[in-house]
Amino acid sequence: MKVKEIQETLAAEVMCRPDLLETEVHSACGSDMMSDVLAYVKEQAVLLTGLVNPQVVRTAEMMDMHCIVFVRGKRPNLEMIEMAAERDMVMLCTDMEMFTSCGKLYAAGLRGGSAR
């Protein structure tokens, strides 16, 4: 699935790096706990979260993620947007809840991959 399809599926606003919307991704995870993202997921390309702080971008970078989706109408600040842009990450924002967002992406064919 391309990041553009995620953006369309979630009716999401692009916050940075619209030039990377054609990036192909194969998996995703949803969590507000970055420690769980680090401990329990592998090979994730997309992170869905409602947590809005710079640690989200740092975690996504450590996990080699290509896209961060903020759910529940959460919006990153300018510092976070700049951090993501510098790291070649697309940042999206949707008003949908986490459960709905994950469900729509799963129904569209995007899968997760846990370390367990």
Side-chain angles (χ1 to χ4, degrees):
M1 172 179 289
K2 293 186 178 191
V3 173
K4 176 77 174 159
E5 294 173 81
I6 293 170
Q7 185 253 329
E8 292 169 351
T9 300
L10 300 181
E13 179 182 353
V14 180
M15 303 305 293
C16 71
R17 296 309 302 259
D19 57 308
L20 298 176
L21 289 175
E22 293 299 316
T23 302
E24 191 77 29
V25 295
H26 303 286
S27 58
C29 68
S31 181
D32 287 344
M33 294 183 64
M34 296 303 103
S35 58
D36 281 356
V37 174
L38 291 170
Y40 297 110
V41 299
K42 63 174 183 168
E43 299 178 14
Q44 303 300 324
V46 180
L47 172 61
L48 290 92
T49 188
L51 182 65
V52 182
N53 68 43
Q55 189 61 31
V56 172
V57 179
R58 290 185 192 102
T59 300
E61 179 181 29
M62 288 175 60
M63 301 303 290
D64 197 28
M65 295 180 169
H66 305 291
C67 178
I68 301 170
V69 179
F70 292 99
V71 297
R72 300 190 302 270
K74 301 291 181 91
R75 300 183 67 82
N77 62 29
L78 184 57
E79 174 191 4
M80 293 174 63
I81 293 169
E82 289 172 351
M83 285 176 66
E86 290 170 2
R87 290 159 175 80
D88 297 328
M89 291 179 206
V90 178
M91 204 174 256
L92 304 173
C93 294
T94 182
D95 288 333
M96 293 181 195
E97 296 177 355
M98 175 89 73
F99 182 81
T100 303
S101 297
C102 291
K104 284 183 172 280
L105 293 177
Y106 186 88
L110 194 60
R111 298 296 184 255
S114 71
R116 290 186 168 186

